[in-house]
Amino acid sequence: MFELNKLLRPHIADLKPYSSAKDEYTGGYGIFLDANENALGSASSTTHNRYPDPYQKEVKTKIAALKGVDVSNIFLGNGSDDIIDLLFRVLCRPEKDNIIIMPPTFGMYQVAADVNTIEYRVAPLTDKFELQADKVLEQVDENTKMIFVCTPNNPTGNDLSTQEINKIIENFEGIVVVDEAYADFTTQESYINHLEQYPNVVVLQTFSKAWGMAELRLGMAFASSDIIHVLNKVKMPYNINGITQKIALDALENANKKEDMVAALIEERKRLEAILPTLDVVQHVYPSDANFLLVKVEDANDIYQKLMDKKVIVRNISKAPGCEGCLRISVGTAEENAVLLDVLRD
Ligand code: PMP
């Protein structure tokens, strides 16, 4: 049985969070003498003298409508990286608890575990990058707090099997973090639609990929209101800056622009998927459900350097276990991809 209170670090369960007057004041106009801001204005040419909404209600209301969830099921962080770290801090007792990852996968899970002095256990994907739930569940003990499932998976690009993910969720009493950073590029159904069925799931999504707003640093977590309540207790008071909130509102009004960009990027990905295997230096292009391709090449270090010399920067992951000899290549614009292909042809 999943019991959130038993999973939390004991002091977090009892924590009384920082509160500001803005948390309580719901009116429109007011004379704000509560937060030691500068009442005169800003030194910059635009005005930024007031602290932003600590709970980002407007942004969350728009996200809630778009995703079909309640505002109480949403948490926003300074990128999803920030939310990953926060999950460690609320759940994992340093030097006691552990988490499970399935490499090759997104590197931040391991880094966040290291930063928080938490053991990470590994249950590698198969050589075809498939998830094996049984192998993951074998690693679980009474101190396992989280399992990180990344789908579509970075850096391999493929969706992991829904059946295997469900098996993990249904047979684990800790939190399953389903990282859907690349959700917009796949046809796989989001776990956001199953939060009621699966109270132990935290879904991560981000504005950094499909929305094209990596510079803003805005990540989303979707989970039961109990889990979101705990994250809200621990977050920094004004964790999402006001400029980010305003631009996010603007983007959310233009969701169809995001959809158009996603369609165009998938088209370009398909074009690269067709052309890359015809090049001499390319040995294999792995199937992708994301906005990047994992490509096995003849001599990854050499090709990486030659691309770099022509100012085409890709990710050399040839040393990552499971990705030997591979480069990870983000889908660029048609012009950028043409340069990439030219250099590889040479
Ligand atoms: N999850 C995955 C799988 C990613 O690939 C990335 C970015 N590379 C992130 C999370 C982090 O995204 P954000 O920019 O929201 O911190």
Side-chain angles (χ1 to χ4, degrees):
M1 251 282 283
F2 170 72
E3 279 183 66
L4 180 61
N5 265 334
K6 274 200 191 153
L7 276 184
L8 295 176
R9 291 169 71 190
H11 73 288
I12 297 293
D14 302 334
L15 184 83
K16 198 172 174 312
Y18 177 84
S19 75
S20 71
K22 277 205 177 58
D23 296 351
E24 286 141 37
Y25 181 77
T26 52
Y29 172 76
I31 296 172
F32 292 100
L33 305 177
D34 61 300
N36 305 343
E37 297 150 333
N38 182 341
L40 303 184
S42 308
S44 51
S45 51
T46 47
T47 307
H48 307 286
N49 57 331
R50 300 297 178 183
Y51 284 105
D53 175 0
Y55 293 105
Q56 311 98 28
K57 286 182 282 299
E58 268 189 273
V59 180
K60 285 182 186 167
T61 301
K62 284 217 159 70
I63 294 172
L66 194 71
K67 303 280 180 182
V69 297
D70 194 78
V71 167
S72 65
N73 298 121
I74 306 173
F75 179 83
L76 298 179
N78 188 23
S80 23
D81 292 340
D82 175 38
I83 306 176
I84 293 168
D85 182 64
L86 211 50
L87 286 167
F88 273 94
R89 285 163 50 206
V90 299
L91 290 163
C92 299
R93 295 166 302 170
E95 292 168 26
K96 283 195 184 134
D97 290 331
N98 66 75
I99 59 122
I100 302 173
I101 58 175
M102 285 76 88
T105 193
F106 181 43
M108 268 309 288
Y109 313 140
Q110 184 177 326
V111 171
D114 285 342
V115 167
N116 289 286
T117 56
I118 302 302
E119 178 197 353
Y120 62 88
R121 300 180 171 188
V122 296
L125 301 176
T126 67
D127 53 5
K128 287 194 176 130
F129 304 136
E130 289 157 340
L131 180 61
Q132 296 173 291
D134 289 340
K135 292 267 192 293
V136 175
L137 292 167
E138 268 171 23
Q139 299 280 343
V140 172
D141 71 9
E142 71 279 9
N143 294 328
T144 306
K145 292 294 180 72
M146 285 189 281
I147 299 177
F148 284 88
V149 179
C150 185
T151 187
N153 185 42
N154 178 10
T156 60
N158 59 313
D159 288 336
L160 300 184
S161 146
T162 301
Q163 202 182 336
E164 296 297 296
I165 299 172
N166 289 350
K167 192 165 174 185
I168 293 174
I169 297 170
E170 287 163 13
N171 291 285
F172 177 53
E173 295 184 359
I175 300 269
V176 180
V177 180
V178 182
D179 188 340
E180 298 183 354
Y182 302 96
D184 295 81
F185 301 100
T186 177
T187 52
Q188 188 176 37
E189 192 192 0
S190 170
Y191 275 87
I192 290 179
N193 302 335
H194 299 288
L195 293 180
E196 277 178 29
Q197 182 187 357
Y198 292 139
N200 59 333
V201 163
V202 174
V203 178
L204 298 181
Q205 292 191 359
T206 177
F207 280 84
S208 300
K209 313 294 176 186
W211 290 93
M213 306 204 320
E215 182 182 55
L216 290 194
R217 309 305 299 126
L218 189 58
M220 301 170 262
F222 301 90
S224 73
S225 53
D226 288 346
I227 295 176
I228 299 299
H229 175 71
V230 174
L231 293 174
N232 277 331
K233 283 208 313 189
V234 176
K235 77 178 188 68
M236 289 296 144
Y238 307 101
N239 61 323
I240 306 298
N241 75 68
I243 299 171
T244 293
Q245 292 190 44
K246 285 192 192 86
I247 299 176
L249 282 173
D250 173 25
L252 286 158
E253 290 290 334
N254 291 292
N256 46 359
K257 182 170 179 194
K258 185 236 347 171
E259 298 300 339
D260 292 347
M261 290 194 290
V262 166
L265 288 166
I266 292 175
E267 271 307 299
E268 268 309 297
R269 182 190 79 206
K270 287 188 175 154
R271 213 170 61 81
L272 286 176
E273 275 172 328
I275 299 174
L276 281 168
T278 67
L279 306 183
D280 286 346
V281 292
V282 172
Q283 292 178 339
H284 189 62
V285 179
Y286 290 88
S288 171
D289 302 292
N291 65 340
F292 58 86
L293 290 166
L294 184 69
V295 182
K296 191 164 188 159
V297 290
E298 227 170 62
D299 182 343
N301 292 332
D302 183 50
I303 291 173
Y304 171 75
Q305 194 51 52
K306 288 196 167 119
L307 285 166
M308 184 72 103
D309 293 344
K310 300 278 184 188
K311 302 207 178 327
V312 179
I313 298 99
V314 300
R315 193 78 183 246
N316 183 358
I317 52 166
S318 58
K319 287 204 178 66
C323 296
E324 289 82 2
C326 289
L327 302 175
R328 195 195 65 194
I329 305 178
S330 308
V331 175
T333 63
E335 294 74 23
E336 290 169 339
N337 298 334
V339 176
L340 167 84
L341 292 171
D342 279 349
V343 180
L344 288 175
R345 263 191 210 104
D346 280 352

